[in-house]
Amino acid sequence: MAVASVSTITSASPVGWQDAIERGFERASKTLRNITGMQVVEEKARVEDGRIVEYLVTMRVIFVLEDRSS
Amino acid sequence: MAVASVSTITSASPVGWQDAIERGFERASKTLRNITGMQVVEEKARVEDGRIVEYLVTMRVIFVLEDRSS
Amino acid sequence: MAVASVSTITSASPVGWQDAIERGFERASKTLRNITGMQVVEEKARVEDGRIVEYLVTMRVIFVLEDRSS
Amino acid sequence: MAVASVSTITSASPVGWQDAIERGFERASKTLRNITGMQVVEEKARVEDGRIVEYLVTMRVIFVLEDRSS
Amino acid sequence: MAVASVSTITSASPVGWQDAIERGFERASKTLRNITGMQVVEEKARVEDGRIVEYLVTMRVIFVLEDRSS
Amino acid sequence: MAVASVSTITSASPVGWQDAIERGFERASKTLRNITGMQVVEEKARVEDGRIVEYLVTMRVIFVLEDRSS
Amino acid sequence: MAVASVSTITSASPVGWQDAIERGFERASKTLRNITGMQVVEEKARVEDGRIVEYLVTMRVIFVLEDRSS
Amino acid sequence: MAVASVSTITSASPVGWQDAIERGFERASKTLRNITGMQVVEEKARVEDGRIVEYLVTMRVIFVLEDRSS
Amino acid sequence: MAVASVSTITSASPVGWQDAIERGFERASKTLRNITGMQVVEEKARVEDGRIVEYLVTMRVIFVLEDRSS
Amino acid sequence: MAVASVSTITSASPVGWQDAIERGFERASKTLRNITGMQVVEEKARVEDGRIVEYLVTMRVIFVLEDRSS
Amino acid sequence: MAVASVSTITSASPVGWQDAIERGFERASKTLRNITGMQVVEEKARVEDGRIVEYLVTMRVIFVLEDRSS
Amino acid sequence: MAVASVSTITSASPVGWQDAIERGFERASKTLRNITGMQVVEEKARVEDGRIVEYLVTMRVIFVLEDRSS
């Protein structure tokens, strides 16, 4: 119960950083059960022809470890 | 006039980070008079049952020191 | 083609950080051609009379170097 | 043989940091075979009614990667 | 309720770091009501004649802000 | 006796950094009794019309905590 | 598609750092499908009898997350 | 003569980091006259289909400032 | 008006760090119009025959960006 | 009298970190006379067969410099 | 000729930081021959009865290694 | 046996960083017996007339302390 793992995730969105965070969080929820927290680490963007085409977020996700036996 | 102090504040909101920043700023204004600036230091979230239930912000608040005598 | 330079920009807005980022990015686009990316480094605010009067952003802008000869 | 992975773990204990480290290490051993090292990264505590109720440790655990095929 | 402040404390003990942490925590509890957490930042020692005579700890203490009006 | 607090101060002077440090230290002495040490953290300047008009210093001030009861 | 995970790997080689990076990368490819990037974090060496006997590299590997359901 | 500027450059190569450094240095030499030094800051790689397709280097380049009047 | 750029400068003086800062600032003013601030980043010295022969300063200079069109 | 040097030491123990610190301090005392302080920098462990077999500590030791002539 | 060592020194003065740097440098020159450079790392002060009684400097000193055989 | 010291070395070579590391390591071996490890900390270069004339490396060398008495 008291032991958790910290995983670093990067996520991208064409809309904005908030959307990238939500996509990353949603995607992480599929792989990592029992997420208890997250932290935004970095906000970047990819630019093409003078326009931001991809919002990039790096975030840490904390999730409780489940026993392998169970 | 020219001497200020830097205080570290953490604030939480069920709605979002922007709301957490405003709550923290509003709360700090009650205790610290003469605030001249602030800085966002960290954005985290607490998660329960696959949903973000609390947005957490750490911020530094700068306020001008008043003389004790006055 | 493969060589880029990283420039640090600060930008301000009376509206919010998102607006400050857009202003800074728009302004950088006028001076720096061929921007390929950006990164948010710091979010601060200037406060007067208990209200945020200026949102300040520091960001890194990456742009491809053009040959001087061309 | 020579390739290892580094995993970040957080662990908690009502007794003390040493106990939290041992719990986290014991728990990690169940999931990660072939642990070769660990490092203490952060020691925190949660406080309620003037008493420390939970000792929290963040630690990095290094373990040798096993081939998926084997 | 959701807004807390972070204060940095240094504490010393002739016995050991654990004792220095407890002294610092106990002392902080007298000034700061509603402490919710703490974090160990640095462990040092002062040495005289080949013996450690003072164990020094720097720690961050988090406490909920109370309204001035109340 | 052995427990101290660390406060971050910013100070400004039209003359120079040394003067800004002295002003900040003098001002801190009025609010914080029992200062035992300080540390220079950052030296900046504000410039107008090609001249430095304000020297800015950020410093940490260490002061022994007094009991509230006493 | 847009969500990736960052994994920290350490790798060793008796020949050199370049070889250690290649071994680590090769090994990571067996466990982590869809690697999109990597970053060298640290270069160390183990020495015995005045000779480097093991070149050690710490690197971060970025790989796209696959859905568990698929 | 004694005043220099520091510029951050990123460079890429399909061959290796050493080649990326040389390309970046060669390219910087075309824009920046009077380079006196450089420093490697970061070594990354982009991966496609299990192979490194682009070696990326971030480096700082130091060059003596020339007078605009001259 | 609100968008500024941050440039890193190194400067040297045979007299002292204060003189090196003034030289660097003076030199930067010739190239960069509209400087609004600066920050001292590093103070080093070069030594020959037991004497400091060159005081070296690294500083960041902030200047408002002018439109290329204007 | 007022000039001291800072030396970085690593120490190991099969028992625990506290023991490793004491061994390192004891050993440093044999080489470095006039130690005035120390600081714990890093706590790691080496693991074999699921058990910690070596507790590793990195610490900085401060000692007053003695004149060579004396 | 080309191989140098970096040593960390702390120095104190009742007069000021500049004096502490000179004392530390002078003292280091007695022990370390062939110093080629130095760098200021930290400036602190010890305070008693509201007055700075000791200015403390931490600095790195670089000196060329001499062969043991010679 | 279990207590080691960490020494910071800078080394230079006209050929390349790899050569600078080997020169520094070779030179360190003459002064420091019982080296057990090393770590690359920084890679820089000195440039003259558009060519790299000196490759500079900063590295940490770990060596087991021998008893003074022995």
Side-chain angles (χ1 to χ4, degrees), chain L residues 5-67:
Chain L
S5 185
V6 183
S7 191
T8 303
I9 302 283
T10 66
S11 178
S13 157
V15 179
W17 285 299
Q18 188 62 36
D19 187 52
I21 290 169
E22 282 162 26
R23 284 173 182 231
F25 180 69
E26 206 177 316
R27 179 59 193 75
S29 303
K30 288 183 185 161
T31 313
L32 309 170
R33 271 186 289 196
N34 302 321
I35 295 176
T36 60
M38 54 145 291
Q39 178 187 1
V40 179
V41 175
E42 194 182 59
E43 290 182 336
K44 294 196 297 187
R46 196 159 58 76
V47 178
E48 274 177 16
D49 300 328
R51 284 191 328 106
I52 294 177
V53 293
E54 205 173 28
Y55 293 84
L56 301 154
V57 168
T58 303
M59 53 207 249
R60 269 194 276 271
V61 178
I62 299 126
F63 56 99
V64 173
L65 287 175
E66 298 170 75
D67 283 334

Side-chain angles (χ1 to χ4, degrees), chain D residues 28-52:
Chain D
S29 303
K30 288 184 186 162
T31 313
L32 310 169
R33 271 185 290 197
N34 302 321
I35 294 176
T36 60
M38 54 145 292
Q39 180 186 358
V40 180
V41 175
E42 195 182 59
E43 292 182 337
K44 295 195 296 187
R46 197 159 58 76
V47 178
E48 274 177 17
D49 299 327
R51 286 192 324 109
I52 293 177

Side-chain angles (χ1 to χ4, degrees), chain F:
Chain F
M1 179 186 80
V3 181
S5 185
V6 183
S7 191
T8 302
I9 301 282
T10 66
S11 177
S13 157
V15 180
W17 286 300
Q18 189 61 37
D19 186 53
I21 290 168
E22 281 162 25
R23 284 174 183 229
F25 179 68
E26 205 177 316
R27 178 61 193 74
S29 303
K30 288 184 186 162
T31 313
L32 310 169
R33 271 187 289 196
N34 302 320
I35 294 176
T36 60
M38 54 144 293
Q39 181 186 358
V40 180
V41 175
E42 195 183 59
E43 290 182 336
K44 295 196 297 188
R46 197 159 59 77
V47 177
E48 275 177 16
D49 299 327
R51 287 193 322 109
I52 293 177
V53 293
E54 205 174 29
Y55 293 83
L56 301 155
V57 167
T58 303
M59 53 207 250
R60 270 195 276 270
V61 178
I62 299 125
F63 57 98
V64 173
L65 286 174
E66 297 168 76
D67 283 333
R68 183 188 275 181
S69 53
S70 58

Side-chain angles (χ1 to χ4, degrees), chain A residues 7-12 23-24 27 30-33, chain G residues 1-7 62 65-69:
Chain A
S7 191
T8 302
I9 302 282
T10 66
S11 177
R23 283 174 183 229
R27 178 62 192 74
K30 289 183 185 162
T31 313
L32 309 169
R33 271 186 289 195
Chain G
M1 181 186 80
V3 181
S5 184
V6 184
S7 190
I62 298 124
L65 287 174
E66 298 168 75
D67 284 333
R68 185 188 273 180
S69 52

Side-chain angles (χ1 to χ4, degrees), chain I residues 17-41:
Chain I
W17 286 298
Q18 187 63 36
D19 186 53
I21 290 169
E22 281 162 25
R23 284 174 182 232
F25 181 67
E26 204 177 318
R27 179 60 193 76
S29 303
K30 288 184 186 162
T31 312
L32 309 170
R33 273 186 288 196
N34 301 322
I35 295 176
T36 59
M38 55 145 291
Q39 179 186 0
V40 179
V41 175

Side-chain angles (χ1 to χ4, degrees), chain A residues 28-65:
Chain A
S29 302
K30 289 183 185 162
T31 313
L32 309 169
R33 271 186 289 195
N34 302 322
I35 295 177
T36 60
M38 53 145 291
Q39 179 187 0
V40 179
V41 175
E42 195 182 60
E43 290 182 336
K44 295 197 297 189
R46 196 159 59 76
V47 178
E48 274 177 18
D49 299 328
R51 285 192 325 109
I52 293 177
V53 292
E54 206 174 29
Y55 292 84
L56 301 153
V57 167
T58 303
M59 54 207 248
R60 269 194 275 270
V61 178
I62 298 124
F63 56 99
V64 173
L65 287 174

Side-chain angles (χ1 to χ4, degrees), chain E residues 26-45:
Chain E
E26 205 177 317
R27 178 60 193 76
S29 302
K30 287 184 186 161
T31 312
L32 308 170
R33 272 186 288 195
N34 301 323
I35 294 176
T36 60
M38 55 145 290
Q39 179 185 0
V40 179
V41 175
E42 195 183 60
E43 291 183 335
K44 296 196 297 187

